[in-house]
Amino acid sequence: MDMEQGRQLAQSFDEMGGPGGDCRPQYRVIRSWLDGAESELLRLKREEAEQLFRQIGITFAVYTEGGDPERLIPFDLIPRILDGQEWDYLERGLVQRVQALNAFVADVYHEREIVKAGKVPEALVLHNESFEAEMQGFTVPQEVYTHIAGIDIVRTGPKEFFVLEDNCRTPSGVSYMLEDREVTMRLFPELFGQHSVRPVSHYPDELLETLRSVAPERCSGEPTIVLLTPGQFNSAYYEHSFLADEMGVELVEGSDLIVEDAVVYMRTTEGLRRVDVIYRRIDDAFLDPLTFNPDSMLGVAGLMQAYRTGNVTLANAPGAGICDDKAIYTFVPEMVRFYLGEEPMLNNVPTYNCAKEEERHYVLDNLSELVIKLVHGSGGYGMLVGPRASEAELGEFATRIKAKPEAYIAQPTLALSTCPTFVDTGIAPRHVDLRPFVLVGDRVRVVPGGLTRVALREGSLVVNSSQGGGTKDTWVIDLPEEPSS
Amino acid sequence: MLSRTANNLFWMARYMERAEFVARLLEVALQMSGMKSREGRTEWNSALIASGCEAGYFAKYDEVTARDVVDYLARDPDNPSSIYSCLSTARQNGRSVRTALTVDTWEAINGTWLDIQVAGRQRFAIENLDNMLSWVKRRALQFNGAYNNTMLRGDAFYFCRLGTYLERADNTARILDVKYHVLLPEYEQVGGLLDYYHWRAILRSVSALRAYHRFYRDRISPWNVAELLILQPQLPRSLRGCYDQVTGNLDLLAGQYGGQTGECHRLAGEYHARLRYGRIQDVFDSGLHEFLTETIDRSIVLGKEIQRFYLM
């Protein structure tokens, strides 16, 4: 371990040990279990877990050359644990944030009050790559745009939670949350006996309820819901088929759907069948070749017309991805105040906007201490972690930022919290983040927990699965009341 | 059910069946290797012809050698009918309709594919062929057992069965056709040792050697072999046995879908009637080869009609 990494880990909050190195109450059972478990047993359990994942076919396609095109996301055996009170606070903050984001998207495509009030610059909205002019002036069912949101949260201390980014386009990862739980329960049933872990397995039911509640007004009776996937070569295909299966809805590809007289149908063995709600997992640009990308082979010609006619609901709504923009992100606390009249419960990570001259100078002067991200990037691609970068990389990013400042933002390198993780050398702390999933329909639904991603390489802060990150089961446990001393 | 789903189920089952068929062909070839037939063709030639891989093989190789045929039919990913390709295509079809499969069915098909991924080139070599072929047969049995025992008796199941039996009928017709020269009556007088081994090989390739003795209690004769494999309703790989299932499952589909039938139902029924009421004498009189070629052509047309009616 070099000096830099040592400093990084020493500064980090460990979720098991806490600041004092004692064991925090929510980890007591796990701690004593880990103390008693031989490395050999853990190794066996890890093999067993890998076997289970392979059997059920959970793989993740990663777009790099060579290697196994269907590899497993590494799964770490040791659960990450939040206590009920921590979670309840987080949950309220998540509901608040997603409500504000939804109100923002509705506003963006109607009156743009927040722009008129001078809170968000007009250019940032209108010239945004994710802004869909098609959506202007059209009111979506139940006025919901962000039906499924994944909010990435990092932690730096016992009460210090920050939102790292919002994912309102087509967030993925929820199947790993569900399967990680499934596998953990199969591997360690005895641990569940000793904790009251809040369940997550009803997520597909909640998702189905959410989608049902946003059926078009003119749909009478039970709506027909489908999940639209780009197909089996998409990296998240496993998740698409998993969710469709769990909800009992058809998993369709673009070629399974056809639009006639502004009504969407699917081709079945018994002829055409009308479709009311589409949970789409393909990007805006590919939805409808008539409206967006004319070369799209994935979409359905005429879909947008059917949508605008009110014959079908799309979840998430096209154009909701504007919330994912990292420049828009800096305004979310302002949105909470503006639309809800409340103080935000979850803070943003301080963010420097390279488009602003003063902030750009600061960023360029302090590159080696900052994390640089592309405004429109995702998945950990094209980012720079200053403290880990070589001189050459720093120089290269400085040149890029000067050439196209509006494409970059910068954030301080946060000392992400760590959790005990089983690695080759034994049990060691590794940095984690958390992606809870928030569902918005007739009401807001959140299942307790989310997907914990862990950076498996020592000292690494990048948790993305495309960059060698793994996942952990995430427990929200209710501790028995302790007599106050 | 989505038409695409039905299509994937149908082809998943067909490709698993085809993988097993190619394994059976290679098994026979291996047992018979060394013996030359009258025309100087070896069993390796027969395997290439029966699997429809002859043209593809000769585009790649100049002459027939055991090693090359085994590689081409078992391992070669460029040959769409190799065992490897069949298992991979079956799995791809299964993967895109996982929601329509039971866990056991998926695990059978996915487990097979994972196993074959780790199997290196060595495992497909002729020295290991016997082991490898029994493995393929076992995996095919596991797949058939899994889907037959766990899937709901509904359209998804019927489409799988349709795929299995249409492919099987086609395969039985192909293997008979390749060997029809030893079944032709004009050779009956010859009846030498070589023919005897050929008949046994044909029977074994469709798991019918014991059945033969049970039904005929007699020396193996070409007439009886043909009758058994074409008309015997009790034999699960006979043309008659397969078409019982093809028409039966088409009727079940029509029943589930409110009685709607199409050209595929008529075609299957017409051919089924011929197998049901036909006599082996008539088959030989009009020419065994002609009969079998027509069977293969008809199964292609029937496949297209099923495609048109249900799968697109």
Side-chain angles (χ1 to χ4, degrees):
Chain A
M1 192 189 325
D2 64 33
M3 296 259 296
E4 188 59 56
Q5 285 173 339
R7 196 161 62 93
Q8 192 64 46
L9 286 173
Q11 285 173 352
S12 299
F13 168 71
D14 187 70
E15 298 197 7
M16 180 162 80
D22 303 338
C23 185
R24 297 171 70 235
Q26 55 266 55
Y27 273 92
R28 265 178 210 148
V29 175
I30 287 289
R31 176 65 175 269
S32 63
W33 172 73
L34 285 177
D35 287 345
E38 299 283 331
S39 273
E40 192 47 38
L41 173 74
L42 290 176
R43 230 174 289 282
L44 283 174
K45 288 283 185 186
R46 183 164 66 184
E47 274 168 30
E48 202 180 318
E50 180 149 331
Q51 206 59 38
L52 284 170
F53 280 115
R54 284 246 182 242
Q55 266 170 26
I56 32 192
I58 305 183
T59 56
F60 178 86
V62 179
Y63 303 115
T64 51
E65 286 168 37
D68 183 356
E70 288 181 23
R71 71 173 179 81
L72 292 175
I73 294 191
F75 163 72
D76 183 64
L77 298 172
I78 306 169
R80 190 259 188 99
I81 306 178
L82 300 167
D83 80 31
Q85 288 178 348
E86 286 173 340
W87 172 257
D88 291 340
Y89 181 84
L90 268 181
E91 182 177 320
R92 287 200 304 278
L94 288 166
V95 170
Q96 180 194 53
R97 188 169 180 106
V98 172
Q99 278 173 336
L101 286 168
N102 193 62
F104 172 70
V105 186
D107 191 19
V108 158
Y109 295 114
H110 289 88
E111 303 302 321
R112 290 198 271 279
E113 300 287 357
I114 200 165
V115 173
K116 288 178 192 159
K119 306 282 185 191
V120 175
E122 184 168 45
L124 195 54
V125 172
L126 295 183
H127 299 152
N128 199 292
E129 281 179 28
S130 304
F131 177 79
E132 299 291 3
E134 281 293 311
M135 292 297 292
Q136 291 183 99
F138 160 54
T139 301
V140 301
Q142 308 273 351
E143 290 187 53
V144 179
Y145 291 82
T146 59
H147 307 81
I148 299 102
I151 309 295
D152 289 349
I153 290 181
V154 296
R155 182 178 202 179
T156 57
K159 295 199 185 319
E160 288 74 25
F161 290 97
F162 294 94
V163 174
L164 197 59
E165 58 183 59
D166 304 289
N167 298 279
C168 295
R169 202 183 308 256
T170 50
S172 63
V174 78
S175 58
Y176 297 101
M177 169 183 89
L178 297 168
E179 295 288 7
D180 284 357
R181 174 63 52 85
E182 183 83 22
V183 168
T184 310
M185 287 183 81
R186 276 167 84 167
L187 292 177
F188 307 112
E190 68 279 9
L191 289 180
F192 283 83
Q194 298 171 51
H195 285 101
S196 52
V197 182
R198 296 194 195 170
V200 293
S201 56
H202 57 298
Y203 176 86
D205 303 332
E206 301 278 43
L207 176 58
L208 188 60
E209 277 304 311
T210 299
L211 294 170
R212 245 189 215 133
S213 74
V214 293
E217 235 168 82
R218 64 181 64 178
C219 165
S220 56
E222 183 61 27
T224 298
I225 297 165
V226 299
L227 195 159
L228 176 60
T229 173
Q232 61 166 313
F233 298 106
N234 183 268
S235 63
Y237 179 75
Y238 167 75
E239 174 157 308
H240 305 162
S241 73
F242 175 85
L243 288 175
D245 192 22
E246 290 280 318
M247 290 193 287
V249 306
E250 290 289 358
L251 177 65
V252 302
E253 295 177 13
S255 59
D256 296 321
L257 299 180
I258 183 172
V259 178
E260 283 180 6
D261 300 327
V263 174
V264 184
Y265 298 94
M266 58 178 162
R267 300 173 211 268
T268 79
T269 49
E270 294 169 87
L272 297 181
R273 181 166 164 208
R274 187 171 175 146
V275 172
D276 303 300
V277 181
I278 301 177
Y279 174 25
R280 52 96 175 195
R281 294 291 298 259
I282 70 180
D283 284 344
D284 290 2
F286 300 104
L287 274 176
D288 181 350
L290 299 185
T291 309
F292 303 115
N293 182 353
D295 300 326
S296 171
M297 305 289 284
L298 303 174
V300 187
L303 184 58
M304 283 304 284
Q305 198 211 340
Y307 182 48
R308 292 187 58 107
T309 312
N311 283 333
V312 72
T313 301
L314 296 176
N316 292 354
I322 194 165
C323 300
D324 300 8
D325 185 281
K326 292 185 179 70
I328 292 283
Y329 158 88
T330 56
F331 295 95
V332 178
E334 202 49 57
M335 293 174 198
V336 174
R337 294 184 196 103
F338 186 79
Y339 296 112
L340 308 179
E342 298 168 7
E343 269 308 299
M345 296 176 67
L346 297 175
N347 290 316
N348 270 5
V349 178
T351 302
Y352 305 98
N353 187 346
C354 296
K356 294 184 186 165
E357 196 181 344
E358 200 175 318
E359 297 186 16
R360 178 168 67 248
H361 284 308
Y362 175 83
V363 169
L364 290 171
D365 289 344
N366 295 280
L367 261 189
S368 65
E369 283 161 27
L370 298 169
V371 176
I372 316 295
K373 291 178 182 172
L374 278 168
V375 170
H376 298 293
S378 70
Y381 291 103
M383 69 183 268
L384 174 90
V385 180
R388 302 269 179 284
S390 66
E391 282 300 322
E393 285 169 325
L394 291 173
E396 191 194 327
F397 261 76
T399 315
R400 282 198 225 165
I401 292 170
K402 283 177 202 154
K404 203 180 175 196
E406 70 281 4
Y408 294 92
I409 54 127
Q411 293 169 337
T413 313
L414 293 184
L416 302 193
S417 60
T418 56
C419 282
T421 302
F422 183 55
V423 294
D424 291 338
T425 49
I427 296 163
R430 289 290 182 271
H431 296 292
V432 293
D433 81 347
L434 178 68
R435 174 179 289 185
F437 295 89
V438 184
L439 300 171
V440 189
D442 51 351
R443 59 190 180 84
V444 183
R445 299 166 167 90
V446 193
V447 296
L451 176 66
T452 291
R453 297 184 298 178
V454 52
L456 293 171
R457 249 173 301 146
E458 185 167 10
S460 169
L461 294 167
V462 187
V463 296
N464 304 76
S465 51
S466 49
Q467 310 279 308
T471 68
K472 279 171 169 289
D473 189 13
T474 310
W475 292 5
V476 175
I477 63 172
D478 291 301
L479 294 169
E481 294 281 325
E482 284 190 40
S484 49
S485 50
Chain B
M1 171 182 289
L2 284 179
S3 300
R4 181 174 51 84
T5 305
N7 189 50
N8 287 133
L9 291 168
F10 177 75
W11 285 104
M12 172 187 73
R14 279 199 84 154
Y15 273 102
M16 279 307 279
E17 184 67 23
R18 192 170 299 176
E20 185 188 347
F21 172 61
V22 176
R24 285 170 177 275
L25 282 177
L26 283 173
E27 208 168 46
V28 171
L30 190 66
Q31 282 159 7
M32 299 283 294
S33 55
M35 288 185 216
K36 279 209 167 63
S37 69
R38 272 179 286 276
E39 304 90 326
R41 276 198 323 210
T42 65
E43 285 304 315
W44 302 112
N45 289 82
S46 301
L48 285 174
I49 298 166
S51 59
C53 293
E54 205 185 14
Y57 179 86
F58 284 111
K60 196 161 179 172
Y61 302 98
D62 292 332
E63 53 177 344
V64 174
T65 69
R67 193 163 289 277
D68 290 343
V69 173
V70 168
D71 191 67
Y72 191 71
L73 289 186
R75 186 207 58 86
D76 198 337
D78 297 335
N79 171 12
S81 291
S82 72
I83 292 174
Y84 178 87
S85 297
C86 287
L87 294 178
S88 152
T89 311
R91 193 257 184 183
Q92 252 175 44
N93 277 287
R95 185 168 189 255
S96 40
V97 291
R98 266 197 48 175
T99 53
L101 300 178
T102 57
V103 174
D104 294 296
T105 310
W106 169 246
E107 286 184 1
I109 207 159
N110 194 43
T112 306
W113 187 80
L114 290 173
D115 272 6
I116 206 161
Q117 289 301 107
V118 292
R121 211 183 174 102
Q122 195 49 34
R123 180 148 163 213
F124 293 97
I126 195 161
E127 296 78 19
N128 300 325
L129 190 59
D130 211 24
N131 276 335
M132 147 82 186
L133 297 176
S134 21
W135 173 80
V136 174
K137 280 167 65 182
R138 276 202 311 278
R139 298 308 301 222
L141 282 172
Q142 191 196 343
F143 166 75
N144 283 322
Y147 93 74
N148 276 288
N149 281 315
T150 60
M151 280 178 76
L152 291 178
R153 270 40 184 171
D155 45 5
F157 179 65
Y158 306 145
F159 281 114
C160 288
R161 302 265 290 181
L162 209 47
T164 299
Y165 286 101
L166 193 64
E167 179 68 23
R168 191 174 289 178
D170 191 56
N171 293 340
T172 298
R174 281 171 187 276
I175 199 160
L176 265 177
D177 192 39
V178 166
K179 300 285 184 186
Y180 81 97
H181 58 279
V182 295
L183 290 167
L184 283 180
E186 55 185 292
Y187 286 119
E188 202 177 14
Q189 295 87 337
V190 181
L193 195 61
L194 189 63
D195 285 343
Y196 177 76
Y197 280 120
H198 270 289
W199 297 328
R200 281 180 65 94
I202 296 173
L203 288 171
R204 196 182 287 122
S205 70
V206 292
S207 302
L209 190 55
R210 286 219 168 166
Y212 183 92
H213 293 304
R214 184 184 166 85
F215 283 113
Y216 297 103
R217 301 179 193 286
D218 196 1
R219 283 183 42 146
I220 297 177
S221 85
W223 285 72
N224 291 345
V225 171
E227 187 183 57
L228 181 68
L229 296 191
I230 295 172
L231 300 178
Q232 175 51 252
Q234 289 186 39
L235 187 77
R237 287 182 189 275
S238 72
L239 294 181
R240 164 73 196 279
C242 293
Y243 268 85
D244 281 353
Q245 293 294 336
V246 169
T247 48
N249 282 285
L250 280 170
D251 289 348
L252 286 165
L253 280 171
Q256 179 169 343
Y257 295 154
Q260 278 190 0
T261 58
E263 175 63 8
C264 55
H265 296 82
R266 193 197 65 76
L267 266 178
E270 184 186 46
Y271 193 62
H272 184 226
R274 193 165 160 193
L275 291 167
R276 192 166 167 194
Y277 299 109
R279 287 179 306 195
I280 199 64
Q281 178 65 55
D282 300 331
V283 172
F284 275 108
D285 285 351
S286 59
L288 180 60
H289 175 60
E290 287 68 22
F291 176 85
L292 293 169
T293 323
E294 197 194 332
T295 302
I296 293 166
D297 291 345
R298 272 174 180 265
S299 79
I300 292 169
V301 176
L302 178 56
K304 282 186 181 148
E305 285 301 326
I306 291 171
Q307 200 88 26
R308 215 163 56 90
F309 195 67
Y310 286 120
L311 309 181
M312 49 196 282

